[in-house]
Structure formats: structure tokens, C-alpha cells
Amino acid sequence: MSQEDLDIDLDAIERRMDGAMTALRTEFGSLRTGRASASIVEPIQVDAYGQMTPINQLGTVNVPEPRMVVINVWDKAMISKVERAIRDSGIGINPVVDGPLIRLPIPELNEERRTQLTKVAAQYAEQARVAIRNVRRDGMDQIKKAKAAGMSEDDQKMWSDEVQTLTDKAIAVVDRALEAKQAEIMHV
């Protein structure tokens, strides 16, 4: 087996960890604190036509006023599924169905709602940490396979340390992003 076969692709591991961070930023973007925003429904997936589909592929999302998001669902058969997905998403907004429209009135943020949003942000951050740890596990599995193929103990230790360093950096970025988002949510 050649030396190249024993090398671990750290760039691919880092890209996958960055992907988890990108997903976290998108989810944090959905936690707008004061004003209505179309991004609040971006991470919500609806079971439509046998597969999970983002809401913006099932209807038009508009923000006609500062405290209202309106979704104009194109297929009337999907209205109840979109409504259920919004209720089950944990964003804490009760959708109001009005014909083909689903209205999402954004409530004023009281202390209780801010606390709820910080908990949702913490859940999103934990999902990102789990995704990063899964990438780490995949990298460690690559190292184990390379060891079985003849990688030396020293190389195995070096690669393991590199993967762990990437993991630690990514988790630290998640933690900083969570702290910043929670501070933004709690800021009155």
C-alpha cells in the first residue's frame, strides 16, 4: 500500500465540520429576536410528496409587516402538513390558516419567550456538536483502517491528534456562536 493510501484527508474532515457550522448559522438565523423574517421558516422541513421538503419550495414566504410572516402554499393539499410542521418545529409560533395562506404572527418577546429561544438555540448548537463529533468519528475510523493497512503507531497518533485538534476548534466555534446568539436573544 502506498504512502498516499495511508494519508488522512484532513481537508475533507474540516469541510464537513464547516458544513455543520454553516447549518448552525442558518438555524440561528431563523431565531430572529424582534422582527419577523422569512428565514424563521428556512430550517423547517415538511413531509411532502414522500420526502422532506423546505417550506420555501412549497409556497411563497413573505413578510408584509414587522410582526407577521405569511406563507402562500401553492398546493392546497399541503396546507395542513405545512401548518403541522411549523407547530412541531419548536419555533414557538402558532400558525393561523386563512385559505391558502398560513399567517405566522410573531409575538412580542417577553422574558419567558426569550428563555425559550435560548433553549432552542442551545438545541441547535448541540445538534451541530453531534454532527462535528460524527465527522471526528469518521476521521478516526479512517485512521483505524490505515493502521490495519500498515500505518505506523507514530503516524496514527499524529493523525489522531490532528483530527482531535480540528474537532476542538470546531466545537469552540459552536460554543462562541451559541454564547453570542444567547446574548443577542436576551438583550432587551
Side-chain angles (χ1 to χ4, degrees):
M1 187 166 251
S2 72
Q3 181 60 36
E4 285 182 13
D5 293 338
L6 297 179
D7 283 347
I8 306 303
D9 190 354
L10 287 179
D11 289 339
I13 291 171
E14 191 169 17
R15 269 194 310 277
R16 289 177 59 201
M17 288 182 181
D18 288 345
M21 277 306 304
T22 302
L24 179 65
R25 283 187 199 99
T26 300
E27 289 174 329
F28 277 177
S30 73
L31 293 176
R32 291 283 173 240
T33 52
R35 297 175 53 91
S37 167
S39 65
I40 199 164
V41 296
E42 275 181 17
I44 301 173
Q45 300 276 316
V46 181
D47 184 8
Y49 314 112
Q51 67 184 28
M52 297 309 282
T53 308
I55 285 180
N56 63 4
Q57 292 181 13
L58 297 171
T60 309
V61 181
N62 291 312
V63 182
E65 54 190 79
R67 297 224 173 266
M68 180 73 66
V69 175
V70 177
I71 304 164
N72 185 359
V73 182
W74 299 316
D75 183 354
K76 288 180 177 37
M78 288 290 118
I79 292 174
S80 64
K81 288 186 176 189
V82 171
E83 177 191 16
R84 190 174 317 114
I86 293 168
R87 284 188 198 283
D88 295 345
S89 69
I91 61 172
I93 298 173
N94 285 323
V96 177
V97 177
D98 182 12
L101 300 179
I102 298 177
R103 299 182 192 280
L104 303 176
I106 309 298
E108 278 284 340
L109 290 181
N110 57 22
E111 192 67 28
E112 179 183 336
R113 179 68 182 134
R114 289 180 194 280
T115 305
Q116 275 181 335
L117 285 175
T118 59
K119 289 178 184 173
V120 172
Q123 289 172 349
Y124 288 159
E126 185 55 31
Q127 290 169 358
R129 285 188 207 101
V130 167
I132 290 166
R133 288 186 203 112
N134 287 340
V135 174
R136 175 190 175 278
R137 186 192 63 230
D138 292 347
M140 293 302 186
D141 287 347
Q142 287 178 19
I143 294 168
K144 285 179 189 167
K145 287 178 187 167
K147 178 186 177 191
M151 180 183 275
S152 72
E153 289 283 331
D154 289 344
D155 284 348
Q156 181 185 1
K157 173 89 172 98
M158 186 262 314
W159 285 113
S160 296
D161 289 348
E162 289 285 330
V163 170
Q164 187 60 49
T165 300
L166 286 176
T167 303
D168 293 344
K169 282 183 191 173
I171 298 263
V173 170
V174 169
D175 291 343
R176 284 193 303 272
L178 175 61
E179 284 178 29
K181 189 63 181 181
Q182 286 180 329
E184 176 189 332
I185 290 168
M186 293 309 286
H187 181 73
V188 178

